[in-house]
DNA sequence: AGCACGCCGACT
DNA sequence: GTCGGCGTGCTC
């Protein structure tokens, strides 16, 4: 009598499927291994959750083959997947496929195993710690030695020596025979950083990011599993690195948005790291100059141990920030104000470099007919098309649709078409006009996506073959050069007044981060921020480099309006091709939720239903409902919602703990 | 989620 | 007449 495998599949159905195990695979199939099984008329990989003797299911099919020669997920990771599926409301199979991506399978082609060179830990590089660094490292080491879960939050400006604390803590973990996961925002995983960390830890390190090939991913994953590497440095998904004896998880730049996964399961890596550390009795260290409001609040409430590093290692001062009120300026100075221009003149005269930052969101140049006010919009999405001067096209930034620039308005036949808004190209033009002798480069999604363009611009700037670098978010991170002494923010408002509860927090973090690009060396530096809201607390606090004052004001605002950390949030998004069906479905669900709330006397708020901020993307109409309340109550409410029948053609997606509610 | 089956409108 | 749109239901 052949045994039966209970297999969990990566489909949105929270129910396992039974397969008989053929004689030939009897010894290879065990709990935790992945197997290839027939499902309908396709073959998919699933997890053996259990092996049983008999089943009530008639006509079961056979396991086709076994993928792993040892369990792919150990007990802790399996528990973590169960937690993921509960917290983020998805099936266990979907959660498991986040823990062990399906790309992780043995390559068909076998590579020659090149001999491994082990360098071990290079202690000689370890610099002497300051008193503060030593105190923090000791506290972390203490917990590591106790094999106890603990979470630490380090708040310290760039240059205050957080990285050294991370590295020392990792060394301690390794010395105790434990492994370490070092999480970074995707953008920080630059070759420069990797070479620094490799020089410190040698071949103990694996690197994990989205650009690895399938084969590289599998080899890295396997060597972590086998314990051949002890440290994994990587983006979000490396929180699932299958280390057996995990000692420490570091989350650098804890406030970064890229730590939230936008597809199902919509986890935040911080929450996963905390949960995993609890299951493994490991330590979590989070660090940031501008911790997320939630985390700082949790630290204030004793959930995390808070350490603050107030000074830069070298006692260098933070650059002075000038805020320029754009309201007082004449139209011709709207892009570049006098203080902005003067600072730039001085910088160039000293033969130093400048970074000009422009946040593109909601700020791109668009085309408008002067006669009838028509604005060119995308046919598939409810957004304006963006004017691209280089290619002479109108481009949709949501669906990628592009069309040539018209010479006449199709409505009124006027040929009086003008461009509104400011983009990086426009700023570049303006700067070229003002500084014809300066060497100017531009870095944004358009230029950075071209092969090697990013590297070329980066190298050029590094080698000082370029005086002014204009860019979007991409220049706010990782562009640390000693000769940058001026940072200019063209318009801080684009992020400030988005209709989102986190926009002030984001603006504060961004301004702080951008400012940090100036004055990294003894040359000093200065920052100019242009805004129409110079009195806004996020900007005033950023100017004063005062996180705490920002925190105090922002936390009051969150409390008054009942937003995180004072409640949990769930964003329910409904999409469909027929506007009417989507709005009807949204209504049905809202009614159902309100009914449940009343019946259970539940402390939740059901906000909506409203069309999403961008009502249509790629031809799909979008409506949303926002749920507020305690996380566990919200999950119960969502369970209720699963029972209601909906008009066809409407897709529901849940975002648990959304980063924004736009 | 995928994928097939099945039912209605607009083409050569 | 049939091609293909999408609504429905099932997958061990």
């Amino acid at each position: 009598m052949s045994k039966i495998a209970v297999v969990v599949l990566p489909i949105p159905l929270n129910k396992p499927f039974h397969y008989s195990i053929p004689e030939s695979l009897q010894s290879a199939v065990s709990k935790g291994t992945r197997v290839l099984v027939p499902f309908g008329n396709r073959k998919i990989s699933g997890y053996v959750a259990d092996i049983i003797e008999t089943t009530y299911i008639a006509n079961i099919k056979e396991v086709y083959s076994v993928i792993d020669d040892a369990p792919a997920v150990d007990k802790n990771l399996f528990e973590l997947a169960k937690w993921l599926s509960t917290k983020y409301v998805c099936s266990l199979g979907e959660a498991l496929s986040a823990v062990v991506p399906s790309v992780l399978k043995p390559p068909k082609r076998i590579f020659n195993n090149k001999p491994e060179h082990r360098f071990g830990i290079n202690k000689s590089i370890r610099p002497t710690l300051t008193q503060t660094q030593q105190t923090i490292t000791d506290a972390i080491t203490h917990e590591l030695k106790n094999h106890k879960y603990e979470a630490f939050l380090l708040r310290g400006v760039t240059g205050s020596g957080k990285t050294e604390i991370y590295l020392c803590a990792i060394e301690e973990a390794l010395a105790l025979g434990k492994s370490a996961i070092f999480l970074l925002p995707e953008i920080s995983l630059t070759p420069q950083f990797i070479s620094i960390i490799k020089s410190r830890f040698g071949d103990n390190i694996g690197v994990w990011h989205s650009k690895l090939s399938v084969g590289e991913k599998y080899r890295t994953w396997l060597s972590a599993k086998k314990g051949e590497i002890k440290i994994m440095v990587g983006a979000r998904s490396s929180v699932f690195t299958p280390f057996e004896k995990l000692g420490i998880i570091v989350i650098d730049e804890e406030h970064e948005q890229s730590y939230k996964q936008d597809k199902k399961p919509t986890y935040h890596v911080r929450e996963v790291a905390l949960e995993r550390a609890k299951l493994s009795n490991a330590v979590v260290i989070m660090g940031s100059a501008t911790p997320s409001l939630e985390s700082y609040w949790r630290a204030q409430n004793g959930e995390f141990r808070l350490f603050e590093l107030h000074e830069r290692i070298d006692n260098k001062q933070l650059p002075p920030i000038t805020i320029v009120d754009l309201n007082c300026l004449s139209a011709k100075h709207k892009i570049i104000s006098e203080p902005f221009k003067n600072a730039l003149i001085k910088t160039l005269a000293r033969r130093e470099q400048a970074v000009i930052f422009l946040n593109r969101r909601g700020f791109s140049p668009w085309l408008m007919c002067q006669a009838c006010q028509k604005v060119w919009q995308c046919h598939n999405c409810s957004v304006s098309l963006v004017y691209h001067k280089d290619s002479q096209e109108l481009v949709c930034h949501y669906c990628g649709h592009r069309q040539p620039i018209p010479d006449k308005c199709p409505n009124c036949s006027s040929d009086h078409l003008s461009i509104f808004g400011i983009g990086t190209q426009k700023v570049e033009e303006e700067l070229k006009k003002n500084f014809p002798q300066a060497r100017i480069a531009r870095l944004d999604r358009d230029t950075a996506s071209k092969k090697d363009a990013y590297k070329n611009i980066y190298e050029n700037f590094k080698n000082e073959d370029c005086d002014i670098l204009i860019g979007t978010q991409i220049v706010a991170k990782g562009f640390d050069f000693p000769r940058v002494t001026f940072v200019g923010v063209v318009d801080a408002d684009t992020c400030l007044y988005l209709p989102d509860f986190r926009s002030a927090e984001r603006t504060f973090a961004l301004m702080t981060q951008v400012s940090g690009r100036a004055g990294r060396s003894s040359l000093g530096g200065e920052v100019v921020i242009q805004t129409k809201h110079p009195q806004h607390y996020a900007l005033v606090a950023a100017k004063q480099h005062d996180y705490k004052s920002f925190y105090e004001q922002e936390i009051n605002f969150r409390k008054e309006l009942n937003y995180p950390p004072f409640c949990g949030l769930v964003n329910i998004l409904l999409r469909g091709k027929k506007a009417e069906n989507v709005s009807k479905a949204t209504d049905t669900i809202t009614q159902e939720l309100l009914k449940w709330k009343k019946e259970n006397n539940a402390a939740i708020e059901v906000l909506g239903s409203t069309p999403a901020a961008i009502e249509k993307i790629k031809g799909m109409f979008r409506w949303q409902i926002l749920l507020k309340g305690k996380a566990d109550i919200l999950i119960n409410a969502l369970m209720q919602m699963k029972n209601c029948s909906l008009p066809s053609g409407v897709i529901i997606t849940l975002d648990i703990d959304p980063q924004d509610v736009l």
Side-chain angles (χ1 to χ4, degrees), chain A residues 31 119 174 417 474:
Chain A
K31 264 197 203 183
F119 297 114
L174 261 57
L417 311 178
I474 207 162

Side-chain angles (χ1 to χ4, degrees), chain A residues 10-28:
Chain A
I11 52 172
L13 257 185
N14 223 346
K15 161 190 152 185
F17 289 76
H18 293 179
Y19 291 88
S20 66
I21 306 169
E23 208 54 51
S24 56
L25 298 176
Q26 206 74 248
S27 59

